[in-house]
Amino acid sequence: MTATAAQPVQPATSLTGFPPVIDASTRFLILGSFPGVASLSAQQYYGHPRNQFWALLSAVLDDDLVGLSYADRLACLRSHRIGLWDVIAGCERIGSLDSAIRNAQANQFDLLRQHCPQLVRVCFNGKTSGKFAPQFAAAGYDTLVLPSSSPANAQTTFTQKLQLWRGIIA
């Protein structure tokens, strides 16, 4: 039996998420968990090219978000009164999987009443962010937990996801 060299353990990196994309006219808010490596690198919500987020919203809104620049995507969401944010403000994580998140700090959701007085529905992109749904329901918001748009959620088809995602603005 030969001894093998132990693989060095990569330390988790301390990460900070993105500011919210909201304004006073926001009626619908989509909350993700925390940006993945590709999104952090691109400095864009849902920046991974295989993430279905922008394609799903394109179908929901009947507006081609995929073909737009990132700034124009956000402007289009605002025109539909949709905001974006994440439930986690900062954390430690290696890679992009939610299961690798450690030492998470939640965002300051109490700011929503002040900054989004017309907010009525909070939607959660996946199960990790969906853990916050009861907190928002208790605060009086309509909530909807959606199947994750992540490429890691391959067991649910685009069509199956879209059926539920249409509930964002229904």
Side-chain angles (χ1 to χ4, degrees):
M1 191 144 122
T2 58
T4 59
Q7 291 290 327
V9 176
Q10 183 181 10
T13 305
S14 182
L15 304 167
T16 302
F18 303 140
V21 177
I22 56 173
D23 60 32
S25 67
T26 301
R27 283 185 57 82
F28 314 103
L29 178 62
I30 301 172
L31 293 173
S33 55
F34 191 79
V37 172
S39 295
L40 290 168
S41 177
Q43 286 296 290
Q44 298 179 2
Y45 280 101
Y46 304 100
H48 192 290
R50 288 194 355 242
N51 193 300
Q52 296 177 324
F53 181 85
W54 297 110
L56 286 163
L57 279 180
S58 290
V60 167
L61 302 174
D62 196 25
D63 226 332
D64 181 18
L65 298 172
V66 175
L68 299 176
S69 70
Y70 181 67
D72 289 341
R73 288 176 180 180
L74 297 183
C76 186
L77 288 185
R78 283 189 188 102
S79 75
H80 287 280
R81 303 176 71 183
I82 296 174
L84 293 179
W85 205 10
D86 287 312
V87 296
I88 298 171
C91 66
E92 294 177 356
R93 182 182 64 202
I94 298 171
S96 294
L97 295 177
D98 286 351
S99 61
I101 292 173
R102 302 289 181 264
N103 301 318
Q105 299 93 39
N107 268 311
Q108 295 182 332
F109 303 121
D110 54 336
L111 301 174
L112 290 174
R113 290 251 186 248
Q114 178 184 352
H115 294 289
C116 305
Q118 296 182 36
L119 182 62
V120 294
R121 179 170 297 133
V122 180
C123 303
F124 303 87
N125 186 357
K127 292 178 185 174
T128 299
S129 62
K131 293 175 184 174
F132 286 75
Q135 174 184 340
F136 283 87
Y141 295 109
D142 182 32
T143 62
L144 176 63
V145 179
L146 301 164
S148 175
S149 64
S150 168
N153 183 17
Q155 72 273 15
T156 307
T157 68
F158 182 88
T159 303
Q160 290 169 326
K161 292 176 187 179
L162 181 58
Q163 282 183 307
L164 297 169
W165 277 66
R166 290 194 187 282
I168 293 170
I169 59 172

